[in-house]
């Protein structure tokens, strides 16, 4: 038993060293490890993340969301190529929606980002969402930590789509970018206020060809809407803001990057950057506790108790409220 524990520790130590050295295969293996639900793998993953705490590397974490068809993959590829041309190392954590029926995912992001996937300064890792709220895999946060330790300068987190639970990606990002397509003014009603309030920068994509006038109008509509929102303490004058880009023609990308860096640098200078990361750490501590409690309900003994009480509720012998209270009391005893 002691020999096995030592072997595991040695393996984790070796994996850590290879990740820090920029070994892409080791990084892929580590992400596979943290995504595993096996108890022994979870222990190893926790040990690896703990070991990497001493690695003093920091990337710009950018969360990217948008409605299906807005061109997220095209934007990420063009944006990523622009960054790697500046000798920046870019990691893309792209989350594919899982089937609620089979649990499977297509994981086709590398196919959609063919040029970027072949760039030696880029790393693309598609992961299944497994129905996790927020369109991000549960362990995406730990994957970000691994990419930072591997020396990547920018980590792009692509989410499944726009929804109420997109707060999840905002809780692991330094910047939250909302990508939109050109549309009429009525389209403003299609984006929830909560998403608007979370966005640091809104990018209206496809601002080219016949769609350019519509893109400019859409950008103007959102810029006006952003000015009506309550000013946030973490924003300098002029933020959040809306601007146009054309991922297809690679226009406006450098300007968008300059705006992002302006915001990041201001937040660093005024203490908001480190403060926000501290708040996020607190959030994920609470989330881990909540997920741990939910995992206890999945044990065979807990499931047996739940099934017994579910039958009584179905027969009308007990109300759901009383049954739930008794189940919780039994589980805690």
């Amino acid at each position: 038993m002691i020999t096995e524990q030592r072997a595991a520790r040695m393996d984790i130590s070796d994996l850590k060293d290879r990740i820090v050295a920029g070994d892409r295969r080791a990084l892929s293996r580590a992400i596979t490890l943290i995504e595993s639900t096996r108890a022994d793998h979870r222990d190893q993953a926790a040990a690896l993340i703990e070991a990497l705490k001493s690695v003093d590397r920091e990337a710009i974490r950018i969360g990217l969301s948008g409605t299906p068809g807005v061109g997220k993959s095209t934007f990420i590829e063009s944006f990523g190529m622009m960054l790697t041309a500046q000798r920046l190392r870019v990691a893309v954590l792209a989350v594919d929606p899982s089937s609620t029926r089979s649990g499977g995912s297509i994981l086709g992001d590398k196919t959609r980002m063919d040029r970027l996937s072949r760039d030696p300064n880029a790393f693309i890792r598609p992961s299944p969402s497994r129905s996790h709220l927020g369109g991000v895999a549960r362990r995406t946060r730990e994957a970000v930590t691994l990419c930072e330790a591997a020396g990547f300068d920018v980590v792009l987190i692509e989410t499944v789509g726009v929804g109420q639970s997109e707060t999840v990606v905002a809780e692991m990002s330094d910047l939250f970018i909302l990508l939109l397509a050109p549309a009429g003014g009525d389209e403003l009603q299609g984006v929830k206020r909560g998403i608007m309030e979370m966005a640091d920068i809104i990018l209206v994509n496809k601002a080219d060809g016949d769609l350019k006038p519509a893109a400019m109008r859409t950008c103007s509509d959102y810029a006006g809407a952003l000015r009506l929102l309550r000013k946030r303490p973490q924003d300098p004058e002029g933020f959040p803001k809306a601007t146009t880009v054309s991922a297809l023609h690679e226009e406006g990308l450098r300007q968008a990057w300059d705006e992002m860096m302006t915001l990041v640098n201001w937040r660093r200078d005024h203490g908001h950057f480190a403060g926000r990361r501290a708040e996020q750490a607190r959030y994920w501590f609470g989330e881990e506790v909540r997920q741990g409690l939910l995992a206890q309900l999945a044990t065979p003994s807990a499931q047996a108790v739940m099934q017994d009480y579910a039958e009584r509720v179905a027969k009308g012998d007990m109300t759901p409220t009383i049954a739930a209270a008794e189940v919780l009391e039994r589980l805690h005893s």
Side-chain angles (χ1 to χ4, degrees), residues 223-277:
L226 289 172
R227 284 193 291 271
L228 296 176
L229 296 179
R230 181 169 54 88
K231 182 172 174 56
R232 307 177 304 184
Q234 70 269 30
D235 293 329
E237 194 63 38
F239 285 89
K241 64 173 54 180
T243 188
T244 58
V245 295
S246 170
L248 185 63
H249 294 283
E250 301 180 357
E251 296 173 352
L253 300 179
R254 184 166 303 253
Q255 178 189 350
W257 173 242
D258 288 343
E259 298 283 14
M260 293 178 199
M261 289 308 298
T262 295
L263 185 53
V264 166
N265 290 332
W266 187 89
R267 286 178 175 173
R268 276 182 171 150
D269 293 341
H270 291 78
H272 295 291
F273 190 89
R276 180 63 182 141
R277 287 203 171 187

Side-chain angles (χ1 to χ4, degrees), residues 20-280:
V20 173
D23 186 327
R24 298 160 71 91
R25 183 172 294 183
L27 177 58
S28 294
R29 180 186 168 197
I31 294 177
T32 299
L33 177 68
I34 65 171
E35 288 178 345
S36 173
T37 56
R38 275 178 44 174
D40 58 332
H41 287 174
R42 289 305 311 147
D43 290 341
Q44 286 185 309
L48 177 61
I49 296 298
E50 185 68 22
L52 289 170
K53 276 177 58 180
S54 60
V55 180
D56 188 20
R57 290 177 177 173
E58 186 177 83
I60 303 299
R61 307 170 184 174
I62 301 175
L64 183 72
S65 186
T67 52
V70 76
K72 288 197 297 292
S73 295
T74 304
F75 172 80
I76 289 174
E77 179 166 61
S78 296
F79 188 65
M81 294 295 290
M82 183 269 294
L83 294 178
T84 58
Q86 298 181 38
R87 297 188 178 181
L88 294 172
R89 299 185 67 211
V90 179
V92 179
L93 301 176
V95 184
D96 270 17
S98 299
S99 167
T100 54
R101 180 171 297 180
S102 67
S105 298
I106 297 174
L107 301 178
D109 294 279
K110 284 195 174 183
T111 302
R112 295 198 299 268
M113 304 177 197
D114 181 57
R115 286 188 305 143
L116 189 60
S117 66
R118 289 184 279 111
D119 192 312
N121 285 321
F123 174 82
I124 301 176
R125 173 68 182 218
S127 298
S129 65
R130 294 192 179 95
S131 302
H132 186 66
L133 290 178
V136 289
R138 181 182 170 190
R139 297 300 169 186
T140 302
R141 174 184 57 89
E142 292 174 340
V144 171
T145 300
L146 293 176
C147 291
E148 282 190 320
F152 285 93
D153 302 297
V154 180
V155 180
L156 294 169
I157 309 161
E158 179 196 1
T159 66
V160 172
V162 175
Q164 286 179 312
S165 50
E166 288 296 279
T167 38
V168 177
V169 72
E171 291 295 344
M172 64 177 74
S173 306
D174 301 315
L175 297 174
F176 183 68
I177 309 301
L178 181 59
L179 199 65
L180 298 174
D186 289 343
E187 183 66 14
L188 194 60
Q189 302 297 325
V191 177
K192 294 181 175 65
R193 180 184 173 92
I195 301 295
M196 291 276 290
E197 290 175 331
M198 282 190 295
D200 293 307
I201 298 175
I202 292 177
L203 299 179
V204 181
N205 193 22
K206 304 183 180 180
D208 51 64
D210 294 339
L211 287 175
K212 189 165 186 175
M216 299 302 290
R217 287 194 300 272
T218 301
C219 181
S220 178
D221 288 339
Y222 281 98
L226 289 172
R227 284 193 291 271
L228 296 176
L229 296 179
R230 181 169 54 88
K231 182 172 174 56
R232 307 177 304 184
Q234 70 269 30
D235 293 329
E237 194 63 38
F239 285 89
K241 64 173 54 180
T243 188
T244 58
V245 295
S246 170
L248 185 63
H249 294 283
E250 301 180 357
E251 296 173 352
L253 300 179
R254 184 166 303 253
Q255 178 189 350
W257 173 242
D258 288 343
E259 298 283 14
M260 293 178 199
M261 289 308 298
T262 295
L263 185 53
V264 166
N265 290 332
W266 187 89
R267 286 178 175 173
R268 276 182 171 150
D269 293 341
H270 291 78
H272 295 291
F273 190 89
R276 180 63 182 141
R277 287 203 171 187
E279 289 176 11
Q280 290 173 347

